[in-house]
Amino acid sequence: MLGFSQFVQKTFALWVLLFAVIAMYQPEAFVWLKAYITWMLGIIMFGMGMTMSLQDFKGVLQSPKAVAIGVAAQFMVMPLLAYLLCALFRLPAEIAIGVILVGCCPGGTASNVITYMAKGNTALSVACTSVSTLLAPLLTPAIFFVLASQWIEIDAWSMLSSILQVVLFPIVLGLLLRALFKTQVERSITLMPLVSVVAIVAIVAAIIAGSRAQILESGLLILAVVMLHNGLGYLLGFWAARLFKLPYADSKAVSIEVGMQNSGLGVALAAVHFAASPVTAVPSAIFSLWHNISGPALATYWASRQRQ
């Protein structure tokens, strides 16, 4: 089972792409999953909590400057990039809201694996993901309110409540479970990445199935914006780290941390708060698909340079 789990993780982007295509052609097979998106994200966050430990937060104490730069870049670079891209492309309000929403999300857990593949500072990546995820209930709604309120009326308190329910509460529950039943949790922890992959694939398929018409109409535009957002995130994250004279391995970690978002959270928030406009969740769904292609590609490039 462990071997199968590792295989699925390594071919993650392929499964996301495969089920995204199937959802476009057979939307009725997946559209019913939309009702369970918040539960699936909660399961992903619960799994993240089970894999976290106090050791992850020791990295904050060991490299406070690097963690501060990574987290600050995460919540400054990606939201501002999203806003500028929306203004530059003059995106329709429903799409602009979705782009800004994914930009305001914390770093995704996949960034830790990609940093390891890129031979970056994995401990720093884990610390940045942990801190940005814990700050997300406050910073994500606050930044989103500032940047997106010109397009739509936003209930920041309701969004904060949603993030507490689907992010912070499951993570804390996972942490407590590991602390109380460490031996039992250690036995089953290897399966949690497989569960997370299945949940993310299901979330992306559900959103694409439910937004098929809007994707056919605006999909290429959204994909272009997502690719720019993600690519510029990697670039600006890397140079922000170099500007503050972080080592090369740390700069790679910050770059990946900034460029890769918790797009599942973006999908869940869009599904809950902007249900009347299904296309709002599409940028997050496409981001989830794209950064799982661009991330491994970037990691392969950096790893090959390391061997030279």
Side-chain angles (χ1 to χ4, degrees):
M1 194 67 183
L2 178 59
F4 176 70
S5 177
Q6 289 173 339
F7 168 74
V8 171
Q9 287 176 69
K10 286 178 183 176
T11 54
F12 182 29
L14 177 65
W15 296 111
V16 175
L17 182 60
L18 175 64
F19 279 88
V21 171
I22 295 171
M24 282 294 288
Y25 285 95
Q26 297 290 332
E28 63 281 354
F30 300 98
V31 73
W32 60 274
L33 288 168
K34 281 187 73 176
Y36 303 98
I37 284 174
T38 51
W39 286 98
M40 287 188 284
L41 183 66
I43 290 168
I44 294 167
M45 293 296 108
F46 175 69
M48 181 181 173
M50 284 176 64
T51 59
M52 289 166 71
S53 67
L54 290 176
Q55 191 69 31
D56 297 337
F57 295 94
K58 284 182 182 175
V60 181
L61 300 175
Q62 290 167 350
S63 310
K65 176 187 170 185
V67 173
I69 291 166
V71 174
Q74 174 68 54
F75 285 114
M76 289 172 68
V77 169
M78 293 305 273
L80 289 173
L81 266 178
Y83 181 84
L84 290 172
L85 288 168
C86 291
L88 181 66
F89 284 87
R90 297 180 181 177
L91 296 180
E94 297 92 341
I95 298 174
I97 292 162
V99 171
I100 291 174
L101 183 58
V102 73
C104 294
C105 288
T109 53
S111 61
N112 308 150
V113 178
I114 299 302
T115 300
Y116 174 76
M117 288 169 57
K119 302 191 185 302
N121 186 337
T122 308
L124 172 60
S125 177
V126 170
C128 286
T129 301
S130 304
V131 172
S132 68
T133 300
L134 294 179
L135 290 175
L138 288 175
L139 293 183
T140 294
I143 298 169
F144 183 67
F145 178 81
V146 170
L147 296 179
S149 52
Q150 72 178 61
W151 280 284
I152 195 170
E153 188 175 331
I154 295 160
D155 188 344
W157 288 109
S158 175
M159 192 169 284
L160 184 149
S161 173
S162 293
I163 300 174
L164 286 173
Q165 288 172 37
V166 300
V167 175
L168 204 59
F169 177 69
I171 285 177
V172 170
L173 200 62
L175 279 165
L176 285 174
L177 196 70
R178 181 168 181 171
L180 293 172
F181 306 101
K182 188 173 181 181
T183 307
Q184 294 89 328
V185 168
E186 291 290 346
R187 287 183 196 143
S188 60
I189 213 165
T190 52
L191 291 178
M192 288 314 296
L194 176 61
V195 173
S196 295
V197 168
V198 172
I200 292 170
V201 168
I203 287 171
V204 172
I207 288 302
I208 287 176
S211 312
R212 184 177 180 272
Q214 294 90 340
I215 291 171
L216 290 173
E217 184 182 336
S218 308
L220 286 176
L221 173 63
I222 298 172
L223 177 61
V225 171
V226 163
M227 288 171 71
L228 277 170
H229 193 193
N230 174 237
L232 290 170
Y234 291 139
L235 184 66
L236 294 178
F238 181 82
W239 286 109
R242 298 305 277 172
L243 183 68
F244 287 96
K245 302 190 181 342
L246 292 188
Y248 191 54
D250 289 14
S251 298
K252 288 192 282 188
V254 171
S255 169
I256 293 165
E257 196 63 32
V258 171
M260 299 188 75
Q261 299 294 86
N262 186 341
S263 45
L265 176 60
V267 168
L269 291 175
V272 171
H273 296 279
F274 307 106
S277 178
V279 76
T280 300
V282 173
S284 292
I286 292 179
F287 202 109
S288 183
L289 170 63
W290 175 250
H291 80 178
N292 284 301
I293 296 170
S294 67
L298 180 61
T300 302
Y301 167 73
W302 263 328
S304 66
R305 285 195 66 188
Q306 194 92 345
R307 288 195 294 269
Q308 290 173 4

